[in-house]
Amino acid sequence: MVRIEWRLDRVKRIAAVVLALAVVAVAVPLLLDWREDRQAEEDQRAAERENFCAKGIARKPVGGKRGGSAHERGNGEERRECVGVTDGSYVFYTRSGDSSPSEQERKDLKEVMRKIEKENRRVERETKKYVSVAYVTTLTLQSSDSNPQESVLHELQGAHAAQLRHNTGDRSAHPKMRLLVGNVGSESAHWKHTADELLKLRDTPDRLVAVTGLGPSTGKNRAMVRRLSENGLATVASTMTASNFKHIEYFVRVSAPNEEEAKAAARYLKKDDERSRGSAVIVRDRSKNNHYAQNLGPAFEDEFTANGGKVDTTPELTFNSEAESAWRSKMHMMPRQLCAKDRNVIFFSGRGMHLTAFLKALRNRTECQKQNFTVITGDDTTNLTERDIREAEKTGIEVIYAGLAHPDVWKDREDEKPSPAITAVEKVAGSTDDGQALVAHDAVITVAQALTMLTSKEGRFTGESVGEMFYSMKGDEAPGASGPLSFDENGTPRDKVIPILRLTKDGRTELEDVSWPEER
């Protein structure tokens, strides 16, 4: 048997190689796993950065769906918007596209948010016994949204004015109020996300007790109201007027239902013998999802025909706002039909953005160009620009609407004029003619009144207790800028004053008439 002898140094080298190979065999998979884990972590952080705007605020696709429609994309790329809740430290607005605010509008938005944040910080420094109230609406607007940028700004200014009144102004009371601002995204697509963020703030040092504002009367906004109310938060709507927003616990609204607006508009027309002598025509949005428009037309017809007025319904002039391409075509066809009917009073039962398109079609009519038209509608007229109104007036079109509120309503009733409220709003917002700042103020001041009532009764400050106070304000009304506020069991304001307004060619509103509750 041959004996093989190895030199010691050679054995050591071979052992080292074997050991190294063993280490590599173990280390390489571990290294690969580590690199994969590291890459996954980096990808997650990148995704979080992509989907993160600020604390409590997420970046999501416009419209709630990836891909989106044409108005939701820019240069073929998906547009995204930041949604959630802020204490004023973050400013919501549309970052790009045709609907992004002007430089001045961005400056104004940043200014009001800075003031809200400043007041919140002051409250936090000076007391630990405060509560939070949120003002929520669509703040990242797209062309499909019914409210313009100016309206959003006025709402935030009005809400802040009410916060100041409660904290340091003529209605100063305890507990002090922090004002939060929530964005539900274009067309309220991300209401669920924002509602979840709000609900997280109930049992935290934020002590959120109520959500105000809540946007226009849509199915998504109604679902949001129900979700918040069912989870113990009080809710106060500023501009919701659809008549089917009822039977929701701890929910009230400061604006009159739209059927009352339609009736007020019809009564105004009947005061004018020339207008009421002929027949009126109704242009109606038949979309089942347009809760705002559903009751406007029938309520107007009922009131207008109650004492001899006539409504021409053959054929019906309708459009479906859900059929994007079709409704615009229908608008262009309507002027010819109206000229053939020889009717000069038109009641428009639809949203402001559709009214804008209708007026454009009517002023560009090729027939009956010398005929004058009176277009009368509900409160959603804020999409009309100064140019729209000026061009309409040039072509013999007068626009009258039942508004949410107007500062001149109380001028003839000096003993009842809520001057401290209007003065407070005008100090922050400047112009209040469109009513948006006034009703936003009223939504927040309603919560402030409930807090004041609870303080006098030594009650606990929760969403439920605040909501219960809403139904006890008869005789202890909230001092609204639109008038004293109390509510029935359905959350509808009692004895609501409705201004009848005319749009002037310089884009302002002029008080034409007032529908007082004792007249209804």
Side-chain angles (χ1 to χ4, degrees):
M1 181 177 179
V2 179
R3 184 178 180 183
I4 301 175
E5 294 185 357
W6 298 79
R7 289 173 54 186
L8 182 59
D9 60 338
R10 188 176 183 185
V11 171
K12 289 181 177 179
R13 283 197 298 274
I14 292 172
V17 170
V18 172
L19 179 61
L21 290 172
V23 169
V24 168
V26 174
V28 168
L30 290 175
L31 179 61
L32 292 174
D33 288 345
W34 177 81
R35 290 190 63 183
E36 289 178 359
D37 290 345
R38 181 67 178 272
Q39 185 62 48
E41 289 176 4
E42 289 179 357
D43 290 345
Q44 177 65 26
R45 282 196 291 269
E48 289 174 353
R49 286 195 298 273
E50 182 184 357
N51 296 320
F52 178 81
C53 299
K55 183 181 178 182
I57 302 171
R59 183 177 286 110
K60 293 181 177 290
V62 170
K65 296 180 180 179
R66 294 191 176 278
S69 62
H71 81 271
E72 295 160 358
R73 297 190 299 272
N75 300 321
E77 296 182 359
E78 178 184 71
R79 288 186 185 171
R80 299 171 76 81
E81 58 187 343
C82 294
V83 296
V85 185
T86 180
D87 61 357
S89 56
Y90 183 85
V91 182
F92 293 106
Y93 62 86
T94 306
R95 258 50 185 183
S96 61
D98 295 339
S99 299
S100 59
S102 66
E103 183 176 344
Q104 184 60 50
E105 287 171 334
R106 285 196 298 271
K107 181 180 177 181
D108 292 340
L109 280 170
K110 290 177 180 177
E111 177 67 11
V112 69
M113 294 298 283
R114 184 191 65 78
K115 290 179 178 179
I116 290 171
E117 182 186 20
K118 181 180 178 181
E119 177 62 11
N120 288 342
R121 296 289 178 266
R122 187 194 66 78
V123 169
E124 292 164 3
R125 284 194 311 271
E126 296 184 5
T127 180
K128 297 299 180 185
K129 295 181 179 180
Y130 59 77
V131 297
S132 295
V133 175
Y135 195 90
V136 175
T137 189
T138 292
L139 298 170
T140 45
L141 300 165
Q142 300 293 331
S143 59
S144 55
D145 292 296
S146 62
N147 49 331
Q149 196 68 56
E150 185 180 34
S151 170
V152 168
L153 172 65
H154 289 172
E155 287 184 63
L156 295 178
Q157 290 170 331
H160 179 51
Q163 178 193 24
L164 294 177
R165 281 189 78 194
H166 176 74
N167 285 348
T168 59
D170 66 296
R171 302 294 298 183
S172 180
H174 292 278
K176 298 305 180 184
M177 179 194 299
R178 291 169 72 245
L179 182 64
L180 308 180
V181 176
N183 179 32
V184 290
S186 176
E187 299 182 81
S188 301
H190 300 292
W191 72 264
K192 291 181 181 178
H193 170 83
T194 302
D196 287 344
E197 292 299 315
L198 290 165
L199 292 174
K200 291 176 185 176
L201 304 177
R202 289 172 302 170
D203 302 317
T204 67
D206 294 281
R207 291 185 289 279
L208 181 68
V209 296
V211 181
T212 62
L214 302 165
S217 305
T218 66
K220 291 175 182 176
N221 288 338
R222 181 166 62 173
M224 175 173 62
V225 170
R226 287 192 179 279
R227 175 79 175 276
L228 296 172
S229 298
E230 288 169 358
N231 285 276
L233 286 176
T235 50
V236 187
S238 55
T239 62
M240 282 182 181
T241 58
S243 301
N244 59 353
F245 280 56
K246 296 178 180 179
H247 310 301
I248 303 176
E249 198 168 18
Y250 310 134
F251 166 74
V252 297
R253 42 153 165 227
V254 300
S255 297
N258 54 11
E259 61 185 11
E260 289 297 318
E261 292 183 352
K263 290 178 180 179
R267 281 191 293 272
Y268 165 74
L269 284 179
K270 285 159 63 175
K271 292 179 180 179
D272 187 324
D273 291 338
E274 184 176 343
R275 283 171 173 156
S276 62
R277 192 179 301 119
S279 295
V281 176
I282 298 177
V283 174
R284 179 174 61 87
D285 182 3
R286 55 187 176 83
S287 166
K288 293 181 180 179
N289 291 321
N290 189 345
H291 299 283
Y292 165 77
Q294 283 176 4
N295 300 104
L296 272 177
F300 176 84
E301 183 174 357
D302 289 347
E303 183 67 29
F304 192 69
T305 58
N307 295 306
K310 298 178 181 179
V311 173
D312 187 346
T313 59
T314 55
E316 277 194 314
L317 297 180
T318 64
F319 64 96
N320 186 346
S321 59
E322 292 184 80
E324 175 66 25
S325 58
W327 74 258
R328 293 184 185 278
S329 298
K330 292 286 289 285
M331 292 293 182
H332 289 295
M333 297 165 57
M334 287 181 184
R336 177 176 293 180
Q337 294 170 297
L338 289 166
C339 288
K341 285 175 176 286
D342 192 26
R343 304 288 182 246
N344 63 351
V345 175
I346 304 164
F347 187 81
F348 189 86
S349 179
R351 290 260 175 220
M353 63 181 296
H354 308 119
L355 174 62
T356 301
F358 173 72
L359 289 177
K360 183 177 180 180
L362 190 58
R363 73 172 185 252
N364 291 329
R365 63 192 182 277
T366 57
E367 301 176 22
C368 67
Q369 293 180 345
K370 293 184 179 180
Q371 182 173 337
N372 293 329
F373 291 96
T374 296
V375 178
I376 191 160
T377 187
D379 65 88
D380 196 351
T381 62
T382 51
N383 270 66
L384 293 175
T385 65
E386 182 179 327
R387 182 179 179 276
D388 291 328
I389 300 164
R390 188 168 56 248
E391 292 299 317
E393 191 171 86
K394 282 181 182 178
T395 54
I397 303 169
E398 179 185 40
V399 181
I400 294 172
Y401 69 101
L404 298 170
H406 194 275
D408 292 343
V409 164
W410 299 91
K411 281 189 174 179
D412 293 333
R413 295 195 175 191
E414 293 295 335
D415 57 320
E416 297 182 33
K417 182 180 177 182
S419 56
I422 292 176
T423 300
V425 178
E426 289 179 341
K427 184 177 180 180
V428 176
S431 173
T432 58
D433 286 357
D434 66 1
Q436 301 291 326
L438 300 179
V439 293
H441 163 278
D442 287 2
V444 177
I445 211 68
T446 295
V447 178
Q449 178 68 5
L451 294 172
T452 301
M453 293 167 66
L454 280 170
T455 300
S456 65
K457 295 176 172 58
E458 298 183 354
R460 291 180 62 246
F461 301 109
T462 66
E464 292 94 337
S465 62
V466 168
E468 284 294 336
M469 290 298 102
F470 293 158
Y471 309 111
S472 303
M473 291 184 179
K474 183 67 173 176
D476 206 358
E477 287 81 1
S482 63
L485 291 161
S486 66
F487 310 91
D488 64 21
E489 67 274 9
N490 286 321
T492 301
R494 292 188 178 99
D495 301 329
K496 189 68 180 179
V497 173
I498 301 175
I500 303 299
L501 306 170
R502 183 174 67 86
L503 292 175
T504 63
K505 61 184 178 182
D506 61 355
R508 295 179 61 83
T509 57
E510 186 176 276
L511 186 66
E512 280 280 302
D513 195 21
V514 179
S515 177
W516 298 100
E518 57 264 29
E519 298 173 354
R520 302 201 291 270

